[in-house]
Amino acid sequence: MAGLSLLCGDCGAHLKSVEEAQQHAELTSHSNFSESTEAVLTLVCSTCGKPCRSQTEVDLHKKRTGHEDFIDKTLEEAKPIDLESKPKPETDVDMEAVGEGSSTSQEMVIPEVNKDMLSELEAMGFPTPRATRALHFSGNSTIEGAINWVAEHENDPDIDEMPMVPKSESKPSLTPEEMKLKAQELRERARKKKEEEEKRMEREREKERIRIGKELLEAKRIEEENARKRILELRRLEKEEEKRAREKIRQKLEEDKAERRRKLGLPPEDPTTATPSAPVEEKKPMMLPIKPATKAERMRDCLRSLKQHHKDEDAKVKRAFQTLLTYAGNVAKNPNEEKFRKIRLNNPSFQERVGSLHGGIEFLEICGFEKIENSEFLFLAREKVDLAVLSTAGSELNSAISNPFFGVL
């Protein structure tokens, strides 16, 4: 079967023609070529018509353009390799010139071949015309290739005739030094292209880092703003609670005073002549500490410490937050149910979800739970259930669960 391609024995590349093999040799300095019955792979992009010769070229084309459909035209494009297609005998050239009525004849010359390999072939006993023809048609690459060509064409009638080619085609092959310079130039070009690509990628990475930094700063600003709003709201609620407590105390004092007058048999005091006690209450030099705000900060620090101690276990931390939220919610909804206010510390499920994590038990203690019975249980007494504290705990846990940057900034 006739060869369908030329196979490079150095790198395994399949080439469609002698010209391509010569170009490949000039670029790579490879010189070991042979005929192959395997056709050159031809995959044509159905979108833009670009032909690809390997699956690697197909993958690169897909990545660069996004085109997905390719048509396999390997069998359609496959043609037998014609090793003698480029040079034409002198007689054929003369006939074509006469047939076309050309007034000028193209000058024909002997092709230039490697003189060292020609001398070796002559030393082996090959006539000069046969050796020159063999080197020219085998690509002027190796002694073995020339000998193989002679063996395949020894019955040709013009085997011992000196080949003639047009003068324009008789260009000498690149010398080893020129091949080295050409290869160096290609490597330098590839290096510069790679450096430019690396610089472009570095600029893209720098833009991405700047964008992420801006997003983190914005998220931190939003978190701080929300924290300030929560503290202001807690202080407002504390002030209202303090105001209601003062009013209750004032009413209690009035009731006690009226009761004493009743027991002594005195008439009720006239409200218009009663001395107001409110100004006395307002002269307090100091304000009471804001307990819910203080506990909220302690809760937040406790949850932040828990997440930072287990920063590589996001699922475990989230499950712990949800479990603590369940404990606080059950007590707030059912304060009279003792089963929701008592937790066994050595319970395997509790240990896995909360007890074994840094800060889990401390958070429950801030909510009012205390260790009893030789530290075997956590217990929240009914009279110590503070719905405001439990509500604060729920708010902090919800914020920690829903905020992706909690404990990170």
Side-chain angles (χ1 to χ4, degrees):
M1 181 177 179
L4 298 178
S5 64
L6 289 176
L7 174 65
C8 178
D10 296 320
C11 65
H14 286 273
L15 306 162
K16 285 186 175 182
S17 63
V18 175
E19 289 78 5
E20 286 191 4
Q22 289 176 344
Q23 293 175 3
H24 181 75
E26 292 176 0
L27 293 175
T28 63
S29 300
H30 296 168
S31 59
N32 184 15
F33 295 91
S34 61
E35 288 188 73
S36 173
T37 57
E38 183 178 350
V40 177
L41 182 65
T42 305
L43 300 174
V44 181
C45 177
S46 59
T47 303
C48 65
K50 176 178 173 58
C52 298
R53 292 191 175 187
S54 65
Q55 189 60 42
T56 302
E57 288 187 26
V58 171
D59 295 339
L60 289 173
H61 186 69
K62 287 181 179 179
K63 184 177 180 180
R64 186 167 55 251
T65 64
H67 300 164
E68 294 292 337
D69 297 330
F70 287 81
I71 302 173
D72 190 350
K73 292 187 178 182
T74 303
L75 298 179
E76 299 178 14
E77 299 289 337
K79 294 180 181 179
I81 292 293
D82 186 3
L83 299 177
E84 300 183 6
S85 59
K86 186 174 180 179
K88 295 184 180 180
E90 183 178 359
T91 56
D92 294 343
V93 175
D94 293 339
M95 291 300 294
E96 291 176 1
V98 172
E100 294 175 359
S102 175
S103 60
T104 58
S105 60
Q106 191 172 12
E107 184 180 357
M108 305 298 291
V109 295
I110 299 173
E112 294 188 19
V113 296
N114 189 296
K115 292 181 175 54
D116 294 335
M117 289 191 289
L118 179 62
S119 300
E120 291 186 28
L121 290 174
E122 289 175 344
M124 293 180 186
F126 291 99
T128 301
R130 181 177 296 195
T132 303
R133 182 177 288 271
L135 286 171
H136 174 66
F137 289 121
S138 65
N140 199 25
S141 56
T142 62
I143 295 292
E144 291 78 5
I147 294 174
N148 291 335
W149 187 92
V150 171
E152 294 175 359
H153 298 81
E154 60 182 353
N155 295 325
D156 293 353
D158 57 351
I159 186 67
D160 288 323
E161 295 180 7
M162 185 64 73
M164 302 296 290
V165 296
K167 186 175 182 180
S168 60
E169 298 181 6
S170 179
K171 294 182 179 179
S173 302
L174 294 176
T175 64
E177 291 76 12
E178 291 174 336
M179 289 183 179
K180 289 181 181 178
L181 291 175
K182 188 70 173 178
Q184 179 65 25
E185 181 183 351
L186 292 174
R187 285 194 293 269
E188 184 66 19
R189 193 181 304 168
R191 183 185 64 79
K192 290 181 179 180
K193 185 176 181 181
K194 183 178 180 181
E195 289 179 354
E196 291 176 359
E197 183 66 18
E198 288 178 352
K199 289 180 181 179
R200 186 185 66 81
M201 293 299 295
E202 181 62 27
R203 288 195 297 269
E204 293 294 331
R205 286 193 290 268
E206 183 64 24
K207 289 180 181 179
E208 185 66 14
R209 285 195 292 269
I210 293 174
R211 184 186 64 80
I212 293 175
K214 289 181 178 179
E215 290 181 356
L216 288 175
L217 290 175
E218 181 64 16
K220 183 177 180 180
R221 186 191 66 77
I222 293 174
E223 174 63 19
E224 291 175 351
E225 182 66 22
N226 291 336
R228 285 194 294 270
K229 290 180 179 179
R230 287 195 296 269
I231 292 174
L232 292 175
E233 181 65 17
L234 289 172
R235 288 178 179 174
R236 185 186 66 80
L237 294 175
E238 247 337 277
K239 288 181 179 180
E240 292 180 356
E241 182 66 23
E242 185 180 354
K243 184 178 180 181
R244 287 194 294 270
R246 288 199 302 267
E247 183 64 23
K248 287 182 180 180
I249 292 173
R250 188 186 66 77
Q251 291 179 0
K252 181 63 176 174
L253 291 175
E254 292 293 337
E255 292 175 358
D256 291 344
K257 186 176 181 180
E259 181 64 22
R260 287 195 299 271
R261 291 180 66 86
R262 186 184 62 79
K263 288 181 179 180
L264 293 174
L266 298 173
E269 186 177 8
D270 188 358
T272 58
T273 60
T275 304
S277 57
V280 177
E281 293 293 334
E282 292 178 357
K283 292 181 181 179
K284 291 182 179 180
M286 296 179 61
M287 294 182 63
L288 294 175
I290 304 173
K291 291 184 179 180
T294 303
K295 285 197 173 184
E297 293 174 358
R298 290 173 58 196
M299 290 176 184
R300 194 177 307 117
D301 291 340
C302 184
L303 295 178
R304 187 180 293 109
S305 174
L306 188 151
K307 184 165 184 177
Q308 290 176 350
H309 276 79
H310 305 278
K311 59 183 178 181
D312 296 329
E313 302 174 288
D314 292 340
K316 195 171 184 179
V317 170
K318 186 175 181 180
R319 185 176 62 179
F321 289 171
Q322 291 173 343
T323 303
L324 292 172
L325 182 62
T326 301
Y327 284 135
N330 287 338
V331 175
K333 294 176 183 177
N334 307 280
N336 295 322
E337 291 288 340
E338 184 177 340
K339 65 179 181 179
F340 295 128
R341 294 184 282 106
K342 190 172 184 180
I343 304 171
R344 184 184 295 274
L345 289 174
N346 59 3
N347 183 284
S349 178
F350 173 78
Q351 282 295 323
E352 180 184 359
R353 293 172 175 267
V354 177
S356 61
L357 274 67
H358 180 86
I361 295 178
E362 181 183 352
F363 184 87
L364 292 172
E365 289 177 342
I366 295 173
C367 293
F369 284 85
E370 297 177 347
K371 292 181 180 180
I372 62 171
E373 300 181 15
N374 295 326
S375 299
E376 291 185 6
F377 293 91
L378 279 175
F379 183 71
L380 177 58
R382 176 63 185 87
E383 61 273 11
K384 293 185 178 181
V385 174
D386 191 334
L387 296 181
V389 173
L390 295 175
S391 176
T392 301
S395 299
E396 294 298 329
L397 286 167
N398 280 322
S399 176
I401 293 171
S402 60
N403 183 4
F405 299 102
F406 180 81
V408 176
L409 302 174

